Amino acid sequence: MTAPNIETIVSLAKRRGFVYPSSELYGGLGSAWDYGPMGIELSNNVKQSWWRWMVYERDDIEGLDSSIILNRLVWKYSGHEDTFSDPLVDCRECNTRLRADKLDNGKCPNCGSTDLTEPRPFNLMFQTHVGATAEDDPNSLVYLRPETAQGIFINFANVLTTSRRKLPFGVAQIGKSFRNEVTPGNFIFRTREFEQMEMEYFVRPGEDESVHQEWIDACFQWFTSIGLSSQNLRLYEQPKAELAHYAKRTVDIQYRFFPERDEDERQWDELMGIANRTDFDLKTHSKKPENEEGKRLNPDSTEDLSYFDEATKERFYPYVIEPAAGVNRTVLAVLMDAYTEKTNDKGEKRVILKLHPDLAPIKVAVLPLAKNKPEIVALAKSIKRTLQPSMRAVYDDTGGIGKLYARQDEIGTPFCVTVDHQSLEDNAITVRDRDTWEQERVPIAELERYVFSRLKRVGV
Ligand code: GAP
């Protein structure tokens, strides 16, 4: 079972402290969201799981954390200043601003009118100014990055030299990106501030196509490894007309974000993109390439980002394969996929988040069965303290046991541990499994090993 729609997740997310509407006490801010105590854990676990898979479990990837505000010339030569825009139209009837490429039959979705202005490009980069200069000083203009990728390209030579890498190798980065989206919406699916997990994999030209395919398969596999059902994932080959200015081929991994829609085709949207960016980026930021008249294509760059292959004595610009995923969209997909409803013995409906244990915000909840018995409370708290250096564990005595179980089920905690009178005598506790609701008596001394053996990883 998965969530029937995004709205179900919006209310669960607020109720259980995953995601709150931002700035709510001042009336909110369109499409801005804050991650609560459970949301930050889930989002950190998604990022750490990706980083572990992408960087630690491979031999050919380095990490990087570049600035959000870069020299404006980066965005000039990357092509974003000229082309990173959406076609915008205004409805003359109700004055709504719309994306021309998302209209159904050329109609305004707000009032149904077809009296729309001609499309015009609207650049999505957020502008700001650096330093204590006048706001209209063009020299102080900078942008918040709309993708983390460019920070990697401009550091290509730095990483290559300091890590003594040879092709093929990749550089991974996780961080915030900003786009002044014309039509943000659908909860955390499309926002103006979001997080990306991107990796730029540098290869010899000619090897790009097969490596691209390998990354498409590997990324699909990664999403299933963190618990997404392959029924809710599919590959989408971007048609030529949709390709970004730098791409030779791009395949998106789409998720069934809108299962409530009748038409199957409209149920899917992008979770990540895997692009073959060719040698566009390294070339465009290099000082050497020239046009036919011998004029430098980039007269501002002070470096050449070509690669010298010692073995073949060849110099060339590597091609780039780029798996680019959104943290927030992954969080949304993970929540939708984990959403399950189950009826208990009393006929009451319970929500269970069947999150992959790697991603669960809390791994173990320790619950005393008698909170007015100091020995039981002390033992429960000491069990929590024993677990906490190696995994996220919590102690909770703020309700009856049924309520405590239900609360943990709703946030996806894989194990609930109850401490009772018997525990004081036999030094054992009861462990209840989130998914089966089965209970098992386990010696306290073996609890940590018990949990470790059932989780793929703890303390992600
Ligand atoms: N460097 C390539 C690049 O940025 P993209 O397809 O524009 O490619 C990659 O972005 C991923 O970032 C998307 O697949 C999506 O998951 C996420 N993303 C992009 N725009 C977003 C937005 N406005 N809100 C949330 N996530 C977004």
Side-chain angles (χ1 to χ4, degrees), residues 22-298:
S22 184
S23 317
E24 221 180 358
L25 76 175
Y26 287 116
L29 172 69
S31 294
W33 300 90
D34 296 337
Y35 287 71
M38 294 304 114
I40 176 65
E41 298 295 342
L42 175 57
S43 154
N44 278 346
N45 291 345
V46 163
K47 289 187 275 184
Q48 286 173 26
S49 179
W50 185 86
W51 195 261
R52 190 184 294 272
W53 167 72
M54 184 59 91
V55 182
Y56 298 174
E57 291 177 4
R58 296 182 61 102
D59 305 317
D60 52 356
I61 314 279
E62 302 285 349
L64 181 83
D65 185 23
S66 67
S67 293
I68 286 174
I69 298 174
L70 304 172
N71 189 309
R72 182 181 167 188
L73 292 170
V74 172
W75 307 108
K76 172 179 171 177
Y77 288 103
S78 70
H80 284 79
E81 265 198 343
D82 287 339
T83 63
F84 196 61
S85 53
D86 279 339
L88 193 75
V89 291
D90 288 316
C91 172
R92 290 199 182 93
E93 201 65 42
C94 67
N95 295 326
T96 311
R97 291 228 143 135
L98 306 158
R99 259 179 74 170
D101 57 331
K102 298 279 176 190
L103 293 178
D104 254 350
N105 303 323
K107 274 194 194 144
C108 168
N110 196 35
C111 68
S113 167
T114 50
D115 189 8
L116 309 175
T117 59
E118 280 303 304
R120 61 192 184 284
F122 172 75
N123 196 292
L124 300 183
M125 285 195 291
F126 274 103
Q127 299 186 353
T128 188
H129 294 264
V130 284
T133 50
E135 292 238 319
D136 53 4
D137 173 4
N139 295 322
S140 71
L141 174 67
V142 287
Y143 304 104
L144 303 188
R145 68 180 176 202
E147 62 170 11
T148 64
Q150 295 302 322
I152 298 179
F153 300 131
I154 59 172
N155 277 293
F156 172 72
N158 288 334
V159 177
L160 183 66
T161 317
T162 50
S163 64
R164 300 172 307 283
R165 286 283 179 184
K166 288 192 169 50
L167 292 187
F169 76 96
V171 182
Q173 167 156 236
I174 299 178
K176 290 246 172 161
S177 291
F178 302 82
R179 296 180 190 177
N180 198 3
E181 299 281 0
V182 179
T183 47
N186 291 315
F187 189 37
I188 53 174
F189 177 81
R190 180 171 285 108
T191 49
R192 297 191 170 105
E193 172 182 343
F194 57 97
E195 247 178 320
Q196 291 186 306
M197 308 182 280
E198 298 200 289
M199 195 277 293
E200 309 302 322
Y201 197 72
F202 302 99
V203 297
R204 287 182 74 88
E207 288 169 11
D208 53 307
E209 290 180 10
S210 61
V211 173
H212 189 195
Q213 192 54 50
E214 281 166 27
W215 276 109
I216 294 166
D217 299 341
C219 291
F220 194 96
Q221 203 47 99
W222 180 71
F223 283 115
T224 61
S225 82
I226 59 162
L228 297 189
S229 155
S230 53
Q231 308 286 307
N232 292 326
L233 291 165
R234 73 171 192 185
L235 296 178
Y236 170 78
E237 182 86 36
Q238 283 192 10
K240 286 265 175 299
E242 240 177 70
L243 291 177
H245 60 280
Y246 49 72
K248 169 171 159 184
R249 180 187 176 213
T250 299
V251 174
D252 291 340
I253 297 182
Q254 297 187 329
Y255 182 77
R256 201 190 293 273
F257 283 108
F258 306 100
E260 75 282 10
R261 292 181 180 167
D262 290 340
E263 215 182 302
D264 180 78
E265 199 46 42
R266 294 183 58 242
Q267 296 181 358
W268 303 87
D269 215 326
E270 180 184 339
L271 177 57
M272 84 175 290
I274 305 136
N276 181 343
R277 293 183 77 126
T278 69
D279 55 3
F280 174 85
D281 299 277
L282 292 183
K283 246 185 185 163
T284 196
H285 289 304
S286 288
K287 66 178 183 180
K288 281 201 177 152
E290 295 177 342
N291 64 15
E292 283 111 44
E293 287 113 49
K295 260 182 85 183
R296 280 170 65 189
L297 295 175
N298 185 338

Side-chain angles (χ1 to χ4, degrees), residues 306-327:
S306 61
Y307 174 86
F308 184 70
D309 189 331
E310 294 286 351
T312 61
K313 306 291 178 219
E314 284 173 286
R315 181 169 284 283
F316 56 88
Y317 293 95
Y319 268 42
V320 174
I321 306 301
E322 175 194 68
V327 174

Side-chain angles (χ1 to χ4, degrees), residues 322-422:
E322 175 194 68
V327 174
N328 319 77
R329 285 189 195 179
T330 306
V331 166
L332 178 56
V334 159
L335 285 171
M336 291 188 76
D337 228 88
Y339 184 92
T340 314
E341 289 173 2
K342 190 169 168 175
T343 307
N344 69 9
D345 298 342
K346 295 180 197 148
E348 298 158 338
K349 192 184 83 180
R350 291 273 182 254
V351 171
I352 308 177
L353 268 190
K354 294 197 172 183
L355 292 170
H356 189 293
D358 281 7
L359 303 184
I362 292 165
K363 312 299 181 202
V364 177
V366 187
L367 318 170
L369 277 190
K371 71 172 178 185
N372 47 10
K373 188 99 179 163
E375 302 94 303
I376 292 182
V377 168
L379 180 58
K381 287 186 174 169
S382 87
I383 292 171
K384 187 259 177 185
R385 274 196 300 274
T386 311
L387 297 174
Q388 68 190 14
S390 56
M391 68 188 79
R392 182 82 166 108
V394 294
Y395 167 90
D396 193 1
D397 65 6
T398 59
I401 190 66
K403 210 169 180 184
L404 295 180
Y405 278 151
R407 190 182 292 164
Q408 295 301 327
D409 285 346
E410 269 202 309
I411 57 173
T413 305
F415 301 108
C416 286
V417 165
T418 50
V419 183
D420 52 22
H421 287 93
Q422 185 70 22

